[in-house]
Every structure is written in C-alpha cells, then in structure tokens.
Amino acid sequence: GEQVEQRPPHLSVREGDSAVITCTYTDPNSYYFFWYKQEPGASLQLLMKVFSSTEINEGQGFTVLLNKKDKRLSLNLTAAHPGDSAAYFCADTGGADRLTFGKGTQLIIQP
Amino acid sequence: GALVYQYPRRTICKSGTSMRMECQAVGFQATSVAWYRQSPQKTFELIALSTVNSAIKYEQNFTQEKFPISHPNLSFSSMTVLNAYLEDRGLYLCGAREGADTQYFGPGTRLLVL
C-alpha cells in the first residue's frame, strides 16, 4: 500500500528563521496532498490542500512545493514565530477515500 | 460551511469496559466516514473506512469485533471501542467527506483508559 515518509521527526529553529519539512510518497496515482498542523492536545487543522496539477502553493507565512517527478512534497515555513510551534503532518489520498499520513514533525520555535 | 462534530471530546473509561463515540457531519452529506486513531507520540492510523451502501472496510490490526462502526445515514457515524485497554488510549478522529471532496475532520475524542 501507499507509504508516506516524513522528515525530520523533530525540528528546532530560531524565531524568524525558516523551517522545511519534507514528505515522499510512493503511489504514483496520488492526486491530493495535505498539510495539517496539530497543536498540543488539539485535533488537526488543515493548512493546505494541494492538487497534483499545481506545484507551488502559497499560504499565510508558508509555501508548499510539490515535485511530482520525485514524489516529494515540502512545507516551507518562512520567518517562523512562536505560534508555529506544533506537530505537522503531511498526508495524501493514495487514490482512495482514505488518507495516508506521514509520521509527523514536531517543530519547536526558539525565541 | 462543512463541519464535523465529535462527541464526547474527552472520556475516561476503566480497563475492560467499552465506550462509544459519535461523529456528526453538518452542511454536507457524509458519503464516506473514516475513523483514525492517534496513539500517544504517534501518527494517525486508519481504523476503518465506511462508505454508504458498501461494507465497512477495516485496516489490518483493527477488527469489527473490537471497533464496531455504525453509519446509518449521511450525517452520522458512531464507533465503539469494546473491552478497552491501555493500548487503546489516544485521540480518535472522524474524517467525513462527500464524494471525492475534501475530508473534513472532527475535533476528535480523546480516550483515556485507567
């Protein structure tokens, strides 16, 4: 079945610096990709949904890049601030109704 | 807009007892409902996928005997954790979608087992 590898598992950056989280996937039929943020004790907050036809997607304070050739998805946080401290999860649909999640990245923003 | 509610938000049960959690879709028709579990310090595992007019599909390591699911209409689903033990603790998420649209997640039910 579909496998999603997410790196790094832990990431610590200084406030104002950038942070990059990367996922690779195996299913060539994957069409939708997602980034979620999970704050401590909370549920999942959808940051961005990416379609395979779009390679660069910009949100508020972050950019999502999709490289279909390498089956790689990345989340780039620019100018990180304390509110960005959380766990981040990538996921794809694998062509079915289910989502396959990466193992998550615990991001800490240091003052 | 599309919203998914889950009840209860947090529950504690004694080891060996059972607890039922509910998922309500508002603003759209939940033609498929997926139940996930996030165990402590881990990612989200799919327990089962329920699609209207189809049999419920359970993932490896999860069974109907342990996690019976009901999906009686296009707005409601429930799942019971039978005979809960320590390894069943975690955050249970309900993800509902209409057709091929985005999957909307509820806030989760956090289960503690004593």
Side-chain angles (χ1 to χ4, degrees), chain A residues 61-100:
Chain A
F62 60 90
T63 302
V64 171
L65 300 176
L66 174 64
N67 183 324
K68 291 175 285 183
K69 177 173 173 291
D70 294 340
K71 298 192 188 68
R72 186 187 306 272
L73 179 74
S74 68
L75 173 67
N76 301 262
L77 290 164
T78 54
H81 57 86
D84 292 330
S85 291
Y88 291 82
F89 294 88
C90 63
D92 73 358
T93 59
D97 284 334
R98 68 193 60 194
L99 289 181
T100 302

Side-chain angles (χ1 to χ4, degrees), chain A residues 6-55:
Chain A
Q6 182 172 344
R7 301 230 182 268
H10 302 277
L11 181 60
S12 178
V13 302
R14 290 189 177 278
E15 186 175 356
D17 287 350
S18 61
V20 180
I21 304 170
T22 302
C23 289
T24 55
Y25 59 95
T26 58
D27 188 345
N29 296 319
S30 289
Y31 191 77
Y32 292 106
F33 305 87
F34 305 85
W35 281 104
Y36 290 94
K37 177 182 181 182
Q38 184 186 33
E39 296 183 357
S43 184
L44 292 175
Q45 173 192 349
L46 178 65
L47 287 179
M48 183 164 283
K49 174 182 177 181
V50 180
F51 299 93
S52 65
S53 58
T54 306
E55 295 185 344

Side-chain angles (χ1 to χ4, degrees), chain A residues 32 34 36 38 40-44 46 49 89 93 96-104, chain B residues 32 36 38 43-44 46 49 51 59 91 93 97 99-103 105-108 110:
Chain A
Y32 292 106
F34 305 85
Y36 290 94
Q38 184 186 33
S43 184
L44 292 175
L46 178 65
K49 174 182 177 181
F89 294 88
T93 59
D97 284 334
R98 68 193 60 194
L99 289 181
T100 302
F101 286 89
K103 291 193 185 306
Chain B
S32 73
Y36 297 85
Q38 183 187 35
T43 191
F44 294 89
L46 179 65
L49 178 64
T51 304
E59 291 294 290
L91 179 68
L93 280 190
R97 64 193 293 181
D101 205 347
T102 301
Q103 189 165 84
F105 286 101
R110 189 166 295 279

